[in-house]
Amino acid sequence: GAVVSQHPSRVICKSGTSVKIECRSLDFQATTMFWYRQFPKQSLMLMATSNEGSKATYEQGVEKDKFLINHASLTLSTLTVTSAHPEDSSFYICSASSGLNEQFFGPGTRLTVL
Amino acid sequence: QKEVEQNSGPLSVPEGAIASLNCTYSDRGSQSFFWYRQYSGKSPELIMSIYSNGDKEDGRFTAQLNKASQYVSLLIRDSQPSDSATYLCAVLVWGKLQFGAGTQVVVTP
């Protein structure tokens, strides 16, 4: 099956710093990658959709200047949380799609902002 | 009204029994439907996809779709303790997955 990796799996940072999360599709080319956020006891909320070589499309309420997304290649997308604050602490999950209907999820990154 | 609705549970199922999970959706134009399993602290794992009305079986899992009723369900036969997880129903709308809140399943030995 399709494999998606994320790095790091867990990160703790101080308030005001920036954190970069990488998402890679290991065995297929991902034309589209998605970034989700999941708070405890809640379902996944889509933050943004990114297509290789294009600007990301952000969902309503998601600050594009705070959550920077880069999709530079068909196998790599990055999410940078800039000037992180405690309320940004969450489980960030990427998914990748090869253009068909199915999305394959990475293992997630747990961000804790102190 | 939420786009995708599921009972939150928990759904308690004796080991070896059938777990039945239900999901309704609001967008009649939806064509693709998915069931994901998510263990606590982990990311979702795709277990079933279904695109046409009727049943689709894969091992111990059976997905059922009724587009007229805007209803999709998942049956887990011979439930095992390892099936204890949250099951997320997802509907593809305009290229984006819309998730239900998830149903927690607890399989008791």
Side-chain angles (χ1 to χ4, degrees):
Chain A
V3 180
V4 178
S5 70
Q6 266 184 258
H7 178 81
S9 59
R10 185 179 296 268
V11 58
I12 300 173
C13 70
K14 292 182 179 180
S15 185
T17 60
S18 295
V19 174
K20 180 184 282 189
I21 303 169
E22 291 187 350
C23 176
R24 293 181 184 272
S25 57
L26 299 184
D27 53 0
F28 69 102
Q29 292 187 326
T31 53
T32 306
M33 287 186 168
F34 303 85
W35 287 95
Y36 296 84
R37 180 167 53 181
Q38 186 176 35
F39 292 105
K41 305 291 185 183
Q42 296 185 24
S43 192
L44 281 76
M45 296 301 296
L46 180 65
M47 299 175 66
T49 303
S50 75
N51 293 295
E52 184 263 340
S54 302
K55 288 185 178 180
T57 302
Y58 290 81
E59 295 299 300
Q60 192 171 13
V62 178
E63 299 175 59
K64 63 179 181 179
D65 294 330
K66 180 171 182 63
F67 299 99
L68 303 179
I69 292 172
N70 184 278
H71 191 164
S73 76
L74 286 171
T75 59
L76 173 64
S77 177
T78 60
L79 168 67
T80 301
V81 183
T82 62
S83 187
H85 290 284
E87 58 266 29
D88 298 323
S89 298
S90 188
F91 191 40
Y92 291 85
I93 312 171
C94 72
S95 72
S97 172
S98 62
L100 302 177
N101 289 327
E102 296 179 353
Q103 291 183 27
F104 300 94
F105 285 83
T109 297
R110 189 159 303 280
L111 170 64
T112 302
V113 184
L114 302 177
Chain B
Q1 181 188 3
K2 292 182 181 178
E3 304 282 352
V4 181
E5 297 215 39
Q6 296 179 252
N7 290 326
S8 61
L11 176 66
S12 184
V13 180
E15 184 174 356
I18 296 175
S20 178
L21 292 80
N22 303 317
C23 173
T24 58
Y25 60 94
S26 61
D27 193 321
R28 285 196 170 274
S30 303
Q31 295 296 320
S32 304
F33 307 87
F34 306 90
W35 283 99
Y36 287 86
R37 177 175 62 197
Q38 186 174 27
Y39 293 111
S40 181
K42 303 295 185 182
S43 69
E45 172 192 9
L46 179 66
I47 55 173
M48 288 287 283
S49 59
I50 187 166
Y51 306 105
S52 55
N53 282 328
D55 296 359
K56 179 182 177 182
E57 185 175 317
D58 184 358
R60 295 186 296 111
F61 299 101
T62 299
Q64 299 172 318
L65 175 61
N66 184 326
K67 291 183 181 179
S69 300
Q70 296 175 244
Y71 174 91
V72 59
S73 66
L74 179 71
L75 299 177
I76 307 173
R77 289 182 300 281
D78 187 23
S79 296
Q80 301 297 309
S82 59
D83 294 326
S84 296
T86 297
Y87 289 80
L88 302 171
C89 173
V91 178
L92 193 67
V93 180
W94 293 105
K96 301 177 185 178
L97 281 178
Q98 293 182 347
F99 286 90
T103 298
Q104 183 185 5
V105 173
V106 178
V107 180
T108 54

